[in-house]
Amino acid sequence: MPNTQTTPLDRPDTRSRRERMVERQIAARGVRDARVLAAMREVPREAFVDDSMQEFAYEDAALPIEAEQTISQPYIVAHMLEAAAVQPDDRVLDVGTGSGYAAALLAWLGDEVYSIERHASLAQSAGERLQALGFENVEIRTGDGTLGWPDAAPFDAILVAAGGPHVPDALRQQLAIGGRLVMPRGDRESQELVRITRRGERDYDEEKLGAVRFVPLIGEQGWLEHRRQGEARDRREGRAERQTTLAERIRAASEPLPDPDDPASGAMFDRFADARIVLLGEASHGSSEFYRARAAITRRLIEQHGFRIVAVEADWPDAAALDRFARDLPPREGAQPPFRRFPRWMWRNTDVEAFIGWLRDHNANLPAAQRVRFRGLDLYSLGASIEAVLAYLEDIDPKLARTARERYGCLTPWQNDPATYARAALDDRYRGCEKGVVNMLGDLLARELDHAAEDPDDWFDAAQNACVVANAERYYRTMYHGAAESWNQRDTHMFETLQQLLRHGGAQARAVVWAHNSHIGDARATGMGRDRGELNIGQLCREHYGDQARLIGFGTDRGTVAAADDWDEPMRVMDVRPSRADSVERLSLDAGRPRSLLDLRPGVHDVLREELSQPRLERFIGVIYRPDTERWSHYSEASLSEQFDAWVWFEETRAITPLPGADRPGKAGLDDTWPFGL
Ligand code: SAM
């Protein structure tokens, strides 16, 4: 059993991701064997996948490896290991080395491991990996594993990681008396996991352990290789046939949608106008149709239905600049120009500019108290929010301003690059920042009566900024502990900000929210919630407001999108790949409407809702788009009809047009006077 505690890849964050994988994907599904769970905690799965797959190493899925093969889903590996009941003295045969991950786990659990792989390239790289990780009790060779490894037999346990039509005789023969063989058996499409236990010379027990899907076991006592292509074609055709029927039902239920610029398009959403909150999603942060459709729906909700808050996935101080412009207030003195951090094009684009221009015209005819507000829900503005609180207090309460300066000073070193705070905050010396920012928020809120009387709007703005500072500090601190914690922190902040806005807007206040589908669509109906323990603002709205919150998702098949290759990289216009055959987007495409609205509220199309509650892949493109690893970077499972109350479809979408300079990192060419032009 090698010491895998300190492999070069084994950083604390991957260790905690592994802990979570064991807890949520494996133990939660009933694997109880303490040694198997310990092995899964110790062996670093990320060391067995390609660089481009690193971030998915702890997903609840099989992942692609070389030679068109896969590394199996962690839960299935654990399930097989438990069934094989490998003991510390056992000699084990592993058929289908693949990446070498299962071999490593077997080596951790047993004494000697013999592993066979038919692809020489895989056998070689698996061997190198295992050696680098310090496993010395594994021997790997290239060959046909259906014939076993007679020289090393008998084996106390045999694991076969590919599906065959029957259990190869050679493998049965090479089992020791009392030995266990675990393998998938069935056709090429789907199999059943079976455990064979050898009781005597000719006496074998057989148990069935559930349905599984593995790559085929190709070999003398397995499948023939040449049958593959014809079968793959049959499969594709069979699937297309089944989908067409569901696609037809989607077509029948979905309503053609006019172009977003046609006033009739907003009216199609009147049915959602009795809600208190209408949340509008988007399947990417860079497709013009999504922005224009959201603007059209929002205009309608404002003009015809009295919505007075537009709350968006942007930082509070940035949105505040647009809000002041839209309400004909002067720019706040000393405030930084808005939307200067990556990704600028998300808000500095012609579609947002057109909407803000419309909002300003609309507001111009209204008394100040009735003007529509444009607000930011996000929390990435640590520096700008600190400055905003200080500027406010300097004027109104210089004594408290001094205290604020002292407390916020703790965060000064990280103000411009808060992500690095995550690491520093692990050190006890920096714990003080947390107390300071929380106390600051408390002190400000306690003075509401004194200060809000002067100018309630200014006070509210400062209080929200103090809240952003407190939550951002917590967000960056939790970032190091895992993606789910910090994501939950961020979406909870968004939800609490929305609640503040509704409270501040009075009993009748109603809001439209603009954010990505991943924030809007109920997380409980997606892999985010089901596998990763993540929640989102859509879920929280449903939990608190029931059907007074309506969640509307958006999707597309193909076209172009404004996105970057990586964080802080320049924006590019990229081609969006046509959707995958097994995705919800492909179903929408097959329904054959170029633009449509599918009403998914309970009671409207219940039979179809039931069908669409089956989990299917759905595409999520944020500000980064990676077409090469699209399946792993952008698709995730979701139950569409549970995720959303409606699905808006644009078969083809076009990239947004950034305002000058918004497509490049750095400040060059950026109009710092936007939106005021002053
Ligand atoms: N256990 C592997 C891991 O942890 O990465 C996953 C194995 S993958 C699901 C199945 C592997 O079985 C593939 O690498 C495939 O090439 C291999 N395979 C299929 N038929 C085989 C055979 N007859 N002998 C040896 N390997 C075979």
Side-chain angles (χ1 to χ4, degrees):
M1 194 183 296
N3 176 12
T4 53
Q5 297 274 351
T6 50
T7 62
L9 279 160
D10 197 18
R11 302 190 312 263
D13 54 340
T14 62
R15 175 162 278 277
S16 63
R17 285 167 69 200
R18 213 149 57 230
E19 293 280 349
R20 259 197 309 279
M21 168 189 84
V22 169
E23 187 188 316
R24 296 194 184 141
Q25 300 171 27
I26 300 173
R29 287 191 180 120
V31 174
R32 294 277 169 270
D33 187 318
R35 293 185 68 241
V36 170
L37 297 177
M40 302 291 297
R41 271 193 202 102
E42 290 302 328
V43 176
R45 191 169 187 246
E46 74 274 12
F48 295 86
V49 297
D50 196 62
D51 281 354
S52 64
M53 289 288 133
Q54 288 296 311
E55 57 190 296
F56 313 111
Y58 294 102
E59 298 284 294
D60 185 20
L63 295 175
I65 56 175
E66 291 158 66
E68 292 182 31
Q69 299 302 319
T70 54
I71 171 171
S72 311
Q73 181 192 12
Y75 161 68
I76 294 293
V77 179
H79 184 38
M80 290 176 79
L81 292 173
E82 185 172 54
V86 179
Q87 303 304 310
D89 291 338
D90 279 357
R91 172 181 285 220
V92 186
L93 176 66
D94 172 46
V95 176
T97 317
S99 67
Y101 177 57
L105 290 160
L106 288 167
W108 198 96
L109 289 164
D111 182 29
E112 289 172 25
V113 178
Y114 297 84
S115 187
I116 312 179
E117 168 57 53
R118 62 187 284 266
H119 290 288
S121 61
L122 286 177
Q124 171 154 358
S125 41
E128 287 163 6
R129 273 186 201 122
L130 288 167
Q131 206 174 13
L133 289 169
F135 288 96
E136 283 162 4
N137 53 342
V138 189
E139 206 175 311
I140 299 180
R141 79 169 186 212
T142 306
D144 177 2
T146 65
L147 304 177
W149 192 315
D151 299 348
F155 299 101
D156 303 297
I158 300 180
L159 240 75
V160 184
H166 55 260
V167 178
D169 263 348
L171 298 185
R172 285 179 187 262
Q173 294 303 329
Q174 290 173 32
L175 262 188
I177 308 287
R180 291 83 47 201
L181 179 157
V182 180
M183 84 167 263
R185 183 185 62 194
D187 56 34
R188 286 175 179 240
E189 275 293 277
S190 59
Q191 309 88 27
E192 186 150 40
L193 201 59
V194 293
R195 173 170 53 193
I196 308 287
T197 308
R198 188 168 192 180
R199 298 286 176 209
E201 205 45 49
R202 288 196 183 72
D203 185 11
Y204 296 87
D205 282 352
E206 181 178 315
E207 294 151 276
K208 295 181 174 154
L209 306 174
V212 285
R213 281 181 74 171
F214 273 79
V215 294
L217 180 70
I218 310 281
E220 219 173 294
Q221 297 191 24
W223 297 105
L224 295 175
E225 191 162 20
H226 69 264
R227 287 179 52 198
R228 217 175 132 196
Q229 283 183 351
E231 294 216 352
R233 194 182 53 237
D234 294 349
R235 230 171 38 226
R236 273 202 305 276
E237 284 166 6
R239 202 175 289 151
E241 208 174 284
R242 277 199 300 283
Q243 263 197 13
T244 315
T245 352
L246 177 53
E248 276 169 5
R249 290 195 284 281
I250 294 178
R251 181 183 176 84
S254 59
E255 302 160 52
L257 201 61
D259 183 88
D261 297 328
D262 180 334
S265 102
M268 304 262 303
F269 294 81
D270 284 350
R271 71 195 81 183
F272 305 108
D274 57 358
R276 196 145 185 232
I277 310 163
V278 176
L279 299 100
L280 303 175
E282 57 184 352
S284 90
H285 282 314
S287 314
S288 175
E289 282 75 4
F290 301 148
Y291 283 84
R292 288 191 289 128
R294 296 193 303 191
I297 301 165
T298 307
R299 285 198 302 266
R300 177 83 183 180
L301 292 173
I302 291 172
E303 281 181 326
Q304 301 295 324
H305 303 285
F307 282 68
R308 288 220 199 104
I309 299 162
V310 182
V312 306
E313 187 189 335
D315 290 334
W316 179 269
D318 287 347
L322 297 192
D323 177 58
R324 295 184 72 82
F325 176 75
R327 289 196 285 139
D328 200 20
L329 297 170
R332 199 174 281 290
E333 223 171 282
Q336 294 176 0
F339 304 108
R340 293 201 306 177
R341 73 166 178 87
F342 180 91
R344 295 180 181 142
W345 67 91
M346 191 172 149
W347 297 106
R348 282 184 179 251
N349 66 55
T350 54
D351 295 322
V352 171
E353 187 174 53
F355 177 76
I356 294 296
W358 172 85
L359 196 56
R360 186 177 162 93
D361 292 345
H362 172 84
N363 277 339
N365 303 319
L366 296 171
Q370 284 176 26
R371 291 185 176 172
V372 177
R373 267 89 167 143
F374 188 84
R375 303 296 204 180
L377 297 174
D378 226 330
L379 50 52
Y380 290 117
S381 54
L382 189 62
S385 288
I386 287 178
E387 280 172 28
V389 176
L390 294 176
Y392 173 76
L393 288 175
E394 284 313 349
D395 271 355
I396 200 156
D397 191 340
K399 192 156 162 256
L400 192 57
R402 263 198 306 283
T403 313
R405 212 168 271 288
E406 219 167 85
R407 286 168 170 168
Y408 288 159
C410 180
L411 292 167
T412 309
W414 296 281
Q415 209 160 308
N416 294 326
D417 185 11
T420 52
Y421 175 63
R423 199 156 228 280
L426 289 177
D427 187 325
D428 272 346
R429 279 177 300 162
Y430 297 114
R431 285 285 148 82
C433 294
E434 179 190 3
K435 206 161 145 226
V437 295
V438 171
N439 288 345
M440 200 52 239
L441 175 61
D443 285 354
L444 200 66
L445 295 178
R447 285 172 175 68
E448 176 172 7
L449 281 184
D450 305 335
H451 296 337
E454 291 244 341
D455 185 332
D457 231 29
D458 280 359
W459 183 83
F460 183 65
D461 184 64
Q464 279 311 121
N465 274 310
C467 185
V468 168
V469 178
N471 284 340
E473 188 277 336
R474 195 144 132 225
Y475 170 81
Y476 289 113
R477 192 154 35 81
T478 51
M479 215 158 80
Y480 206 74
H481 295 289
E485 275 91 326
S486 50
W487 170 277
N488 290 350
Q489 176 69 33
R490 180 176 168 215
D491 269 57
T492 304
H493 171 81
M494 288 193 193
F495 176 67
E496 289 171 357
T497 305
L498 178 65
Q499 285 191 304
Q500 279 303 114
L501 292 172
L502 290 169
R503 258 180 237 130
H504 185 69
Q508 305 301 319
R510 296 196 294 153
V512 189
V513 174
W514 294 2
H516 196 273
N517 282 349
S518 54
H519 294 292
I520 296 287
D522 191 332
R524 292 168 298 182
T526 70
M528 291 168 55
R530 289 174 181 163
D531 308 327
R532 301 203 292 275
E534 290 171 355
L535 49 74
N536 64 11
I537 186 172
Q539 169 185 342
L540 294 172
C541 281
R542 265 198 184 156
E543 284 172 350
H544 283 76
Y545 298 97
D547 57 14
Q548 282 297 294
R550 291 300 184 192
L551 321 182
I552 303 182
F554 290 65
T556 188
D557 174 60
R558 60 180 188 277
T560 56
V561 67
D565 295 314
D566 217 332
W567 203 255
D568 277 336
E569 296 283 316
M571 185 212 100
R572 295 198 291 125
V573 173
M574 305 188 201
D575 286 335
V576 177
R577 288 190 165 194
S579 57
R580 286 175 58 94
D582 50 0
S583 66
V584 64
E585 285 82 4
R586 179 60 68 87
L587 270 177
S588 307
L589 174 72
D590 290 347
R593 296 200 189 280
R595 284 185 302 266
S596 63
L597 167 65
L598 180 59
D599 192 336
L600 293 169
R601 287 174 300 166
V604 182
H605 300 293
D606 281 344
V607 176
L608 185 62
R609 283 184 68 237
E610 180 68 37
E611 286 184 280
L612 292 176
S613 69
Q614 291 294 320
R616 286 187 180 79
L617 291 180
E618 187 181 302
R619 183 164 52 196
F620 298 81
I621 302 176
V623 289
I624 314 268
Y625 183 44
R626 297 193 175 130
D628 292 344
T629 55
E630 198 189 42
R631 161 66 184 89
W632 309 103
S633 304
H634 299 291
Y635 281 95
S636 183
E637 283 209 330
S639 300
L640 190 74
S641 56
E642 292 172 12
Q643 188 187 10
F644 297 119
D645 292 301
W647 176 242
V648 177
W649 175 249
F650 291 94
E651 180 177 323
E652 193 165 351
T653 45
R654 295 279 137 214
I656 53 94
T657 306
L659 293 174
D663 50 350
R664 297 187 291 273
K667 280 209 310 165
L670 204 63
D671 178 4
D672 273 351
T673 67
W674 189 73
F676 294 92
L678 297 173

